[in-house]
Amino acid sequence: MDFLGLPHDASVNGYRIDHLINETSFFVILFFVVTAALMLYACLRHGERHQASYDHGDTWKSFRWTLAVAAAIFLVVDGPLLVESLTDLREVFFNFAYAESQPQAVRIEINAHQWIWTARYAGPDGKFNTADDIVTTNDVVIPQGAPVIIQITSTDVIHSFNLPNMRMKIDAVPGIVNRMWFEAKETGQFDIACAQHCGSNHYKMKGTLTVLPRADYNRWLGEASANSSRGFDPDDAEAHWGWDWAAYSRI
Ligand SMILES: [Cu+2]
């Protein structure tokens, strides 16, 4: 549903995020309208026509009303949102065991620095930080219909890797490898943005996420591999920022 002006959702699981946003927005709008209507009623009904009567809101009646409204909101709004969020995390967004177990899965390491995204694919040997790695700048290419697992860090300050059309965003933090996974359901070109203000040229951290059909992706991989191995320089230590694919046992 795009009535809130959300970017186009091109991911398999983005609808879960949209559902939470829509549900939250629905209740926020509903309670705003109800509260505004009550205030309007109070203004019109009372005014200067009669003397105001006051109380401190500390009677048992007030206490019970407050408790009842708070409990109702928790049961109808916050509780379900909490349960739905935790279910989404457990079943999908934190379910790395599923993503890692898929034979079609694509693994990408990303290094953020002021003000560029550098992406690294393991290349034909399947190992990161070796001579046959594929390294790209502000350009992430993935296949349609396969889990894409991102491990990400930063060289300098905190950045945030944001894929609005995939409904995914994760902080890139120096000294820490964070991770996320998603799956694109549509081919096309989408924005990569930085979602943490990371310095004067923050706005320049704009990249392109290209989703290709699997066959085209494989062809791109072959070409990029040949280009990257030609550009490989064993003495350029700064360019070898990759790490062994991190295995997580938690969650
Ligand atoms: Cu940034």
Side-chain angles (χ1 to χ4, degrees):
M1 210 191 322
D2 285 345
F3 81 96
L4 290 170
L6 293 171
H8 177 66
D9 173 27
S11 70
V12 171
N13 290 304
Y15 74 93
R16 292 169 180 267
I17 304 289
D18 290 4
H19 175 74
L20 292 173
I21 293 174
N22 289 336
E23 193 174 333
T24 307
S25 303
F26 170 80
F27 283 116
V28 168
I29 293 167
L30 177 71
F31 290 133
F32 173 79
V33 170
V34 169
T35 310
L38 285 172
M39 289 168 75
L40 188 68
Y41 170 77
C43 289
L44 296 176
R45 171 83 176 73
H46 300 295
E48 291 179 353
R49 282 190 301 275
H50 66 86
Q51 181 124 32
S53 68
Y54 300 95
D55 72 61
H56 292 284
D58 56 357
T59 59
W60 272 109
K61 191 182 166 204
S62 301
F63 180 73
R64 277 198 300 269
W65 260 105
T66 309
L67 202 65
V69 171
I73 289 177
F74 181 79
L75 286 174
V76 177
V77 186
D78 303 76
L81 279 172
L82 179 68
V83 171
E84 286 163 30
S85 309
L86 292 175
T87 306
D88 287 346
L89 289 174
R90 195 184 64 244
E91 289 179 358
V92 180
F93 301 113
F94 283 179
N95 192 353
F96 287 89
Y98 163 78
E100 292 277 5
S101 70
Q102 297 304 297
Q104 298 281 306
V106 171
R107 294 170 179 79
I108 306 173
E109 291 183 355
I110 290 181
N111 185 28
H113 44 109
Q114 291 170 319
W115 284 273
I116 281 172
W117 303 104
T118 319
R120 177 180 295 271
Y121 301 70
D125 69 353
K127 287 201 180 68
F128 284 90
N129 226 18
T130 55
D132 73 343
D133 283 4
I134 296 158
V135 180
T136 65
T137 302
N138 286 340
D139 185 25
V140 176
V141 181
I142 60 167
Q144 174 193 19
V148 175
I149 310 161
I150 305 273
Q151 291 193 356
I152 184 165
T153 192
S154 167
T155 297
D156 37 46
V157 301
I158 297 176
H159 302 267
S160 183
F161 187 69
N162 185 16
L163 303 176
N165 303 95
M166 301 295 147
R167 302 292 192 268
M168 295 305 276
K169 185 194 288 180
I170 194 159
D171 276 3
V173 184
I176 293 176
V177 174
N178 276 339
R179 62 178 181 162
M180 70 179 191
W181 81 271
F182 63 94
E183 182 171 335
K185 69 177 177 192
E186 290 173 22
T187 57
Q189 291 201 314
F190 306 100
D191 284 340
I192 299 173
C194 183
Q196 293 280 11
H197 187 250
C198 56
S200 56
N201 290 334
H202 161 65
Y203 70 96
K204 284 188 180 167
M205 288 189 75
K206 184 180 181 317
T208 305
L209 176 77
T210 306
V211 185
L212 297 174
R214 189 81 204 196
D216 293 356
Y217 170 77
N218 289 341
R219 199 172 310 127
W220 172 84
L221 212 55
E223 286 166 17
S225 179
N227 286 339
S228 293
S229 56
R230 274 197 291 276
F232 181 76
D233 177 359
D235 298 326
D236 184 1
E238 218 170 274
H240 307 148
W241 49 261
W243 54 88
D244 288 340
W245 190 250
Y248 290 82
S249 54
R250 64 190 168 87
I251 302 171

